[in-house]
Each structure stands twice: as C-alpha cells, then as structure tokens.
Amino acid sequence: MTATKGLEGVVAAQSAVCSIIDGVLCYRGINVDELAENATFEEVVYLLWHGALPKRDQLEAFQKELGASAQIPQELIESIRNFPEGVHSMAVLRTAVSSLALYDKEAQEMSKEANYRKSIRLTAQTPTIVAAYARLRKGLEPVAPRVEYSLAKNFLYMLNGEEPSDTAVKAFDTALILHADHEFNASTFAARVTVATLTDIYSGVVSAIGTLKGPLHGGANEAVATMLKKIGSVKEVVPFIRQALDNKEKIMGFGHRVYKDGDPRAKWLRQMSKELTEQQGKPELYEMSVKIEEMVTGEKGLKPNVDFYSASVYVSLGLDIDLFTPIFAISRMSGWTAHIMEQYENNRLIRPRADYIGPVNQHFIPMDQR
Ligand SMILES: CC(C)(COP(=O)(O)OP(=O)(O)OC[C@H]1O[C@@H](n2cnc3c(N)ncnc32)[C@H](O)[C@@H]1OP(=O)(O)O)[C@@H](O)C(=O)NCCC(=O)NCCS
C-alpha cells in the first residue's frame, strides 16, 4: 500500500452535486459563470439541494422558509454575549453552530425530511450568528432578521442595523453564489467523513467549520486582507512580495490543488473588486491586488484563487477582516449540507488505510531499562 500525499488526484467517492471538469466549475451541471450572472443565492441553494432550479412558486416558498428560519435562540445570543473577548471568529462560529444542536429538538432525528429541515435552519441561522457576534463584540445589540429579506440582504442588514444598498446586496449575493460549493474541498470532505459514521448533521457541519478555518482553506481570504493591509500601498508591493518569494513564503490567495490554469471564480471577484473599490474611492486596494497578481503569476506561474480578490471585495463592503472566513462559511453551509444529505442517501463508512512507515518488531521495555 502506498499513500498519495494530500490525497492529490484521488477520487474519493461519487457525487452529483458539483463538478470541476477541465477547469470548469458546475453546480448540478450548470456552469458557475451562468449562475453568477443570472441566479440569486437562494436559487443556487435550492439547486444544490434539489438538483434542479426552482420554479417561481417553489422559489417563493423556499425564500419564505429560509426567512422564517433565520432567528436564533435567545439562549445562544446570551452565550455569544458571554464568550471571552479576543477569540478567533471561526472558533466562535464553530462553537455557536455546535450549540444550535442543543436547542434543536430534531437534532438527533435522522429522517431525510428532518435533515432537510435542519439544512434550512443551518443555512438561515449561520448569517444571524455571524451578524450577532459582530455586533455584540462592539457592545451593540443584535438586530433581528427580517423574514422578507434575501439571505444576502438580511446579513448586511443584521450586521449594520440599516438597509444595505442594492449594489452591496448584489455584490454580496454574487460572492455567496461563487463560494457555495466546490466538490470535495477539504471542509466538505471532512463533513462527509463525519456524517458517514451516521452521526448527526450538526456534527458534520461543525467538522467542516473547523476545517474551513485553516489558512490553507477558507482562512486564506482573511490572510490576504491582512497582507494587503501590511503592504499598504502600490509602491510597496514589489519589495514586499520580493521578500516573501525570496523567503519561500506562501502568498495567500494563490495556487490551487485542482485548478492549475486559474480558478474560474477569481475573474468575477476581480471585476467586483475593481468596481467596488472605484465606487468607494479606494482604487489602490484593487491596484495593489493586480500588482501582486502580476508578480506572483509572472514569477511563480501561480494564479489567484477565489480567496484573493474576495478579500478586497469584502474590505470594500466595509466588512471586518476577521469576518471573511465566517462569511465563507455562511455561503458554504449550503454546499456542506447538500453533500451531507447526498452522503446519507447512499452511505458507507469512510475509512481509508495508512501507509505505515514507523518501526516494526518493537518490544515493551520495562521502565527502569529505558
Ligand atoms: C491551495 C494550496 C493549499 C494547494 O496546495 P497543494 O496542491 O498542496 O500545492 P503545494 O503546496 O504542494 O504547492 C506546489 C508548489 O507551489 C508552491 N506554491 C503553492 N501555492 C503557493 C503560494 N500561494 N505561494 C507561493 N508558492 C506556492 C509550493 O510552495 C510548491 O512549491 P515547491 O514544489 O517548490 O515546493 C496552496 O496553493 C496554498 O497554500 N495556497 C495559499 C493558500 C490559499 O490561498 N488557500 C486557498 C485555496 S482556495
């Protein structure tokens, strides 16, 4: 038995949710470019869960269900209020989503219908958790979700306590679409491994949140924003990146395990970054990003991934840097739950083998002879 480091190129299971074929990303067979151009996030969530786009009445009913499920238990708000200061935002999200299970009477219910209802609640409530935490830590009271708002609008509304602009809602909605699913990425795989033991859906998404937190996965968008902040201006890009490359450091937001010719989602975020930074009168953020891209692609042949330009998009939307990865989770909750429901449908325990490289034929040595 030989192992493939990082399971590169290993096909771990069959799935009908999402594909990446020849660098083209599709959700249920529809190119993500078409979805980013034409769909709403709610349509995409419906598509991921049901396998087909909703008809008008189906979408209306679905939006209502999501809107009506967005409220989180008051007990959880009080818990978040009492969380220690200065902790990692993804640790807060991981703990809060795990706590949701404690208040869900259906938490242990394993029927298909119950898991679907829990997927609705998880997707609707994750933005409410993130917005509540973002306000509570600033000494502000949480803002209750509005039933009639889309998920994107509701999140921005709950975060700032005021009506977001149509431009902000549209940009955020598109970002949610682009992050919704991505085949067997690390967090989705973690979720599938977890639920393949036939544990509950909450355990699956908590595994996924913990996995997304890492800087090699969802944590990269926060790392990109921190890097942009550190660089500070276009003229500092060359010396900063030069030094990082010379020190063999990884430049966050570049490279991808699957896409070697570029991430199809990056072009959307690059365009959004250009437009939003111009509108905000902060074009330097975009210009810095372009300069970094020129240098990293030119010298290393590495292309930006989804996280690179999403950083300047979120900065332009006025979002706190440490909320970027929780925002990724808000979107990816739809993909995680789609995969979890698919896993339950045709389950087998996921239990690979290890290529053992340690010592053999060892014996117990009594304490006084070691
Ligand atoms: C995404 C990522 C984890 C993929 O990892 P992977 O498939 O295991 O690729 P590797 O880390 O083995 O990289 C292959 C080579 O490219 C280099 N490389 C990959 N990404 C790099 C980056 N962002 N900056 C600099 N060099 C990079 C590696 O150092 C390695 O070089 P080597 O062969 O000389 O050792 C990796 O590209 C990375 O760490 N990117 C930065 C984090 C990030 O943006 N994550 C979000 C992904 S959506």
Side-chain angles (χ1 to χ4, degrees), residues 139-324:
L140 300 166
E141 277 308 301
V143 171
R146 301 276 294 258
V147 180
E148 69 279 19
Y149 282 0
S150 69
L151 191 141
K153 187 169 181 180
N154 227 346
F155 175 68
L156 297 174
Y157 165 71
M158 288 188 285
L159 194 64
N160 300 315
E162 56 189 43
E163 287 269 317
S165 71
D166 290 346
T167 318
V169 173
K170 175 76 189 123
F172 195 67
D173 199 71
T174 307
L176 293 179
I177 291 172
L178 294 168
H179 286 83
D181 198 32
H182 208 220
E183 206 223 34
F184 275 24
N185 62 92
S187 56
T188 301
F189 188 56
R192 291 190 75 130
V193 169
T194 303
V195 301
T197 67
L198 293 184
T199 186
D200 65 289
I201 195 166
Y202 284 100
S203 302
V205 298
V206 169
S207 288
I209 294 170
T211 310
L212 186 75
K213 178 173 177 284
L216 296 188
H217 190 10
N221 57 11
E222 181 183 337
V224 173
T226 308
M227 173 176 75
L228 290 171
K229 213 170 156 189
K230 243 192 236 167
I231 297 175
S233 68
V234 176
K235 70 175 175 25
E236 295 301 328
V237 166
V238 173
F240 185 95
I241 299 294
R242 175 76 285 127
Q243 193 181 18
L245 291 177
D246 289 349
N247 292 344
K248 305 247 175 284
E249 285 166 23
K250 277 198 168 170
I251 315 294
M252 290 296 142
F254 285 88
H256 203 276
R257 172 63 65 79
V258 181
Y259 304 116
K260 298 301 173 197
D261 286 329
D263 183 329
R265 302 164 296 178
K267 60 179 178 296
W268 287 95
L269 292 152
R270 186 195 288 112
Q271 187 56 27
M272 283 157 66
S273 164
K274 183 172 190 305
E275 287 167 11
L276 288 168
T277 53
E278 271 168 14
Q279 277 168 26
Q280 296 286 317
K282 294 180 194 155
E284 191 150 35
L285 210 54
Y286 171 73
E287 288 157 10
M288 275 162 63
S289 305
V290 170
K291 188 100 198 130
I292 297 170
E293 180 182 348
E294 278 169 13
M295 223 176 142
V296 176
T297 306
E299 295 207 15
K300 298 274 296 182
L302 291 164
K303 308 263 172 66
N305 56 48
V306 70
D307 291 308
F308 187 64
Y309 283 98
S310 62
S312 45
V313 166
Y314 294 154
V315 171
S316 310
L317 289 174
L319 303 167
D320 292 344
I321 289 178
D322 71 336
L323 297 185
F324 293 5

Side-chain angles (χ1 to χ4, degrees), residues 1-5 353-362:
M1 289 192 296
T2 51
T4 309
K5 197 167 181 195
R353 295 298 311 275
D355 177 9
Y356 179 72
I357 55 163
V360 293
N361 296 328
Q362 301 293 296

